[in-house]
């Protein structure tokens, strides 16, 4: 009976939160760009001020990652996002072309349902609040239960910043009784205009099947190609820095490494030199049985944990304390090949290919098995190699010569800073872009007439004899038509 009551309470809470968010969004719709930007900047500033406190809470609640790296993520999601979007025009008229008679006006979608994962809880909440309000919307968060405390505290920080900037704090709110029924009710609520889903595959599929327009992201499973022209020590450094950042909890992080067969020894030696630990066959099999559950999904016990913790949990007793990443040789993709899956922890699969063509084929196979449309990274000095892979690999982000984690989210590249990375149609996503404010608004097009019916008919082909031929139009006639159009525009 108690569980049943909890479900009912959570569903009623959703109704109340959406109603309050809808009213707050209507107030926001009356504000100009400067007023909206003042609110967003206040959130960014508050996120930076509270970055460490929220990072500590996220680490305490979930056990994932490293506090210092979570601080970086919180600052990135606050100030980094703000610096990128601060000059974006998102309110009112976006574009105007009087010569063509076209105006583009921004229209907020309304109330957004924001699904927040446990892997990046506080940073995702800060990010989604900023981009949603920048686009003129309100957002109601559905938090992952294991990160409820830190997400609610983040929302408290955000709401206070909104109020201090002159906005309605109900622009951002959070479910306090997280249940499956509450999340489903939020996604299907008639006043929920859009779902911004970041989380596991099951949750993203639920978002897309809710009947509400949704932007969701699939799993990341990005391979990293170490191509023969690269600076090998620098490439390995970037990969290990990336994979160890917050213990691999960002979905854009490298999940496997692949190189040409004749480079395997050199790559392995350099990785070992920089702190990678290559598993022997027994260790490889033991960890492989641990990182996936019986249903083939990732064991949550490895998510965001350190090498030392994972080693103890999996019964690996020879891994040195200095090891930064666990690496296992893999020769296949799919069931029975656990290192071909996404591993949100400091674990890498290691592949080789006969040449770059074979490498490309294997990369495509890996991504089509899991991670289609997400991210692929490569380290090379040959732009022709970049062109070859970019034309073939089913990934929305081709990250070159930078840590994939930071490059994919737009921290070390000029991509939109985002913690929601679209996977495009190949990955079952509504967009292939790094999601920002422009994906969270509608564009209303105002189009002024340019020609009368007789002008259109005059430009049509003559089909009187059964064969259509374009009419002969001399330059004088063209000039006359243009003159008429300009006169009509001036008269408007």
């Amino acid at each position: 009976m108690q569980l049943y009551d909890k479900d009912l309470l959570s569903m009623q809470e959703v109704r109340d939160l959406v109603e309050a968010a809808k009213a707050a969004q209507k107030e926001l719709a009356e504000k100009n760009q400067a007023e909206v930007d003042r609110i967003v900047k206040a959130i960014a500033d508050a996120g930076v001020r509270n970055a460490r406190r929220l990072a500590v809470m996220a680490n305490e609640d979930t056990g994932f990652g490293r506090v210092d790296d979570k601080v970086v993520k919180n600052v990135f999601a606050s100030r980094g996002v703000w610096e990128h979007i601060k000059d974006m025009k998102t309110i009112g008229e976006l574009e105007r072309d009087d010569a063509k008679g076209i105006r583009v006006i921004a229209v907020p979608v309304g109330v957004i349902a924001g699904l927040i994962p446990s892997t990046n809880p506080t940073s995702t909440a800060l990010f989604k609040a900023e981009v949603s309000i920048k686009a003129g919307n309100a957002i109601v968060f559905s938090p992952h239960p294991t990160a409820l405390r830190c997400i609610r505290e983040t929302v408290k920080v955000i709401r206070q910043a909104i109020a201090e900037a002159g906005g309605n704090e109900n622009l951002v709110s959070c479910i306090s009784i997280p249940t499956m029924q509450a999340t489903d009710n939020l996604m299907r609520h008639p006043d929920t205009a859009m779902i911004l889903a970041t989380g596991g595959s099951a949750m993203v599929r639920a978002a897309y099947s809710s009947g509400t327009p949704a932007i969701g992201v699939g799993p990341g499973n990005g391979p990293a190609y170490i191509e023969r022209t690269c600076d090998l020590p620098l490439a390995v450094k970037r990969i290990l820095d990336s994979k160890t950042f917050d213990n691999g909890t960002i979905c854009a992080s490298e999940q496997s490494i692949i190189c040409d067969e004749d480079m395997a020894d050199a790559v392995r030696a350099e990785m070992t030199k920089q702190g990678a630990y290559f598993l022997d066959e027994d260790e490889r099999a033991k960890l492989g049985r641990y990182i996936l559950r019986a249903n083939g999904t990732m064991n949550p016990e490895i998510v965001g944990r350190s090498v030392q913790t994972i080693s103890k949990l999996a019964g690996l007793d020879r891994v040195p304390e200095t090891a930064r990443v666990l690496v296992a040789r893999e020769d296949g993709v799919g069931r029975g090949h656990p290192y071909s899956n996404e591993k949100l922890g400091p674990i890498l699969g290691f592949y080789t290919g006969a040449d770059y063509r074979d490498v490309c084929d294997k990369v495509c196979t890996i991504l089509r098995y899991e991670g289609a449309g997400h991210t692929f990274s490569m380290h090379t000095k040959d732009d022709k190699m970049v062109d070859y892979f970019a034309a073939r690999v089913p990934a929305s982000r081709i990250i070159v010569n930078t840590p994939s984690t930071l490059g994919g989210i737009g921290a070390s590249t000029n991509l939109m800073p985002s913690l929601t990375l679209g996977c495009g149609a190949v990955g079952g996503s509504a967009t292939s872009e790094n999601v920002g404010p422009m994906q969270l608004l509608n564009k209303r097009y105002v189009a002024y007439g340019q020609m009368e019916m007789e002008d259109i008919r005059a430009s049509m082909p003559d089909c009187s004899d059964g064969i259509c031929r374009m009419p002969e139009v001399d330059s004088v006639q063209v000039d006359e038509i243009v003159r008429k159009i300009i006169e009509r525009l001036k008269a408007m």
Side-chain angles (χ1 to χ4, degrees):
M1 184 65 180
Q2 187 175 359
L3 289 176
Y4 183 65
D5 291 344
K6 181 181 178 182
D7 296 343
L8 289 177
L9 287 171
S10 69
M11 293 168 68
Q12 182 59 51
E13 181 186 32
V14 166
R15 297 187 184 102
D16 294 341
L17 292 176
V18 172
E19 183 179 358
K22 184 178 180 181
Q25 193 276 324
K26 285 184 177 179
E27 289 183 29
L28 187 67
E30 299 299 318
K31 296 184 181 296
N32 60 34
Q33 186 75 66
E35 291 170 320
V36 170
D37 288 346
R38 189 179 307 118
I39 295 172
V40 180
K41 184 178 186 301
I43 296 172
D45 291 344
V48 173
R49 287 196 304 271
N50 291 275
R52 178 160 292 276
R53 184 171 68 88
L54 296 175
V56 170
M57 291 182 69
N59 179 255
E60 290 174 346
D61 290 354
T62 65
F64 297 164
R66 304 190 296 189
V67 169
D68 286 348
D69 291 344
K70 290 187 181 298
V71 173
V72 173
K73 288 198 293 190
N74 286 339
V75 173
F76 166 78
S78 302
R79 185 174 63 200
V81 171
W82 164 248
E83 289 297 328
H84 191 91
I85 68 175
K86 64 181 181 181
D87 295 324
M88 282 186 183
K89 178 70 173 170
T90 56
I91 305 297
E93 188 174 82
L94 303 181
E95 303 171 34
R96 187 183 189 106
D97 189 328
D98 289 333
K100 294 182 178 179
I102 294 289
R103 296 168 59 204
V104 183
I105 299 172
V107 182
V109 297
V111 177
I112 295 173
L115 278 53
I116 308 296
S118 57
T119 46
N120 308 294
T122 56
S123 53
T124 301
L126 289 163
F127 158 72
K128 287 188 176 181
E130 286 191 27
V131 296
S132 295
I133 294 176
K134 176 70 175 181
N137 306 299
I139 187 165
V140 178
F141 290 135
S142 174
H144 193 286
T146 62
L148 175 62
R149 183 181 70 117
C150 65
I151 293 171
R152 290 192 67 191
E153 184 61 24
T154 305
V155 170
K156 181 180 177 181
V157 167
I158 293 169
R159 286 168 65 90
Q160 182 176 340
I162 292 172
E164 291 174 354
N168 187 324
E169 62 184 16
N170 289 325
L171 286 169
V172 178
S173 57
C174 180
I175 295 171
S176 65
I177 311 172
T179 65
M180 292 293 289
Q181 290 79 9
T183 301
D184 186 67
N185 198 27
L186 175 62
M187 293 193 297
R188 296 178 185 274
H189 195 289
D191 288 328
T192 296
M194 177 179 283
I195 303 167
L196 194 53
T198 307
S201 297
M203 186 60 73
V204 172
R205 285 195 297 270
Y208 276 117
S209 63
S210 68
T212 302
I215 296 177
V217 298
N221 192 28
Y225 179 32
I226 300 179
E227 196 268 333
R228 64 177 62 255
T229 63
C230 75
D231 180 330
L232 182 55
L234 182 56
V236 169
K237 177 186 181 300
R238 287 166 172 164
I239 291 170
L240 297 190
D241 285 349
S242 179
K243 190 58 175 170
T244 56
F245 181 77
D246 206 28
N247 287 340
T249 53
I250 291 182
C251 55
S253 63
E254 297 86 345
Q255 303 299 320
S256 57
I257 290 175
I258 187 165
C259 65
D260 293 6
E261 290 174 357
D262 60 0
M263 288 185 64
D265 290 343
V267 170
R268 177 169 178 154
E270 186 60 41
M271 290 181 68
T272 301
K273 179 181 177 181
Q274 295 195 33
Y277 178 78
F278 280 77
L279 305 174
D280 63 26
E281 282 303 309
D282 289 341
E283 292 170 324
R284 174 182 176 274
K286 187 178 290 187
L287 181 59
R289 288 191 295 269
Y290 185 76
I291 62 178
L292 292 184
R293 294 181 289 191
N295 63 0
T297 60
M298 180 170 45
N299 183 349
E301 292 297 323
I302 71 166
V303 175
R305 309 294 179 176
S306 67
V307 165
Q308 290 69 35
T309 298
I310 293 171
S311 298
K312 290 176 182 177
L313 290 172
L316 307 179
D317 53 13
R318 296 196 300 272
V319 178
E321 287 295 319
T322 56
R324 300 174 64 197
V325 174
L326 301 173
V327 186
R329 186 69 184 247
E330 186 58 89
D331 57 5
V333 177
R335 288 279 186 160
H337 300 280
Y339 298 98
S340 67
N341 288 73
E342 182 184 42
K343 305 163 290 296
L344 294 180
I347 303 169
L348 288 167
F350 184 76
Y351 291 86
T352 60
D355 56 21
Y356 72 90
R357 295 181 182 87
D358 186 36
V359 167
C360 188
D361 289 343
K362 289 181 176 178
V363 165
C364 292
T365 301
I366 292 168
L367 287 171
R368 290 190 179 111
Y369 168 60
E370 186 176 55
H374 205 288
T375 304
F376 162 70
S377 62
M378 59 190 304
H379 301 264
T380 180
K381 294 179 181 178
D382 187 347
D383 281 342
K384 290 182 179 178
M385 284 288 103
V386 176
D387 292 344
Y388 183 88
F389 279 79
R392 293 164 175 81
V393 171
S396 299
R397 279 155 291 279
I398 310 296
I399 307 302
V400 183
N401 295 334
T402 193
S404 187
T405 294
L406 302 179
I409 65 174
S412 64
T413 63
N414 283 318
L415 294 174
M416 166 69 206
S418 178
L419 292 173
T420 301
L421 310 183
C423 296
V426 69
S429 181
T431 181
S432 59
E433 296 179 288
N434 283 19
V435 175
M438 301 312 293
Q439 285 76 44
L440 305 181
L441 55 79
N442 290 316
K443 292 182 178 180
R444 183 172 293 159
Y445 292 84
V446 179
Y448 294 88
Q450 303 291 291
M451 300 176 73
E452 299 297 343
M453 181 57 75
E454 57 265 32
D455 298 323
I456 296 173
R457 290 188 184 281
S459 67
M460 293 294 103
D462 179 8
C463 303
S464 57
D465 61 355
I467 300 175
C468 294
R469 299 179 179 84
M470 292 301 295
E472 295 293 332
V473 181
D474 60 31
S475 59
V476 175
Q477 289 174 303
V478 172
D479 290 343
E480 180 63 18
I481 291 173
V482 173
R483 185 187 64 77
K484 289 181 180 179
I485 292 172
I486 293 174
E487 286 178 354
R488 291 194 188 100
L489 288 173
K490 288 180 178 179
M492 290 178 181

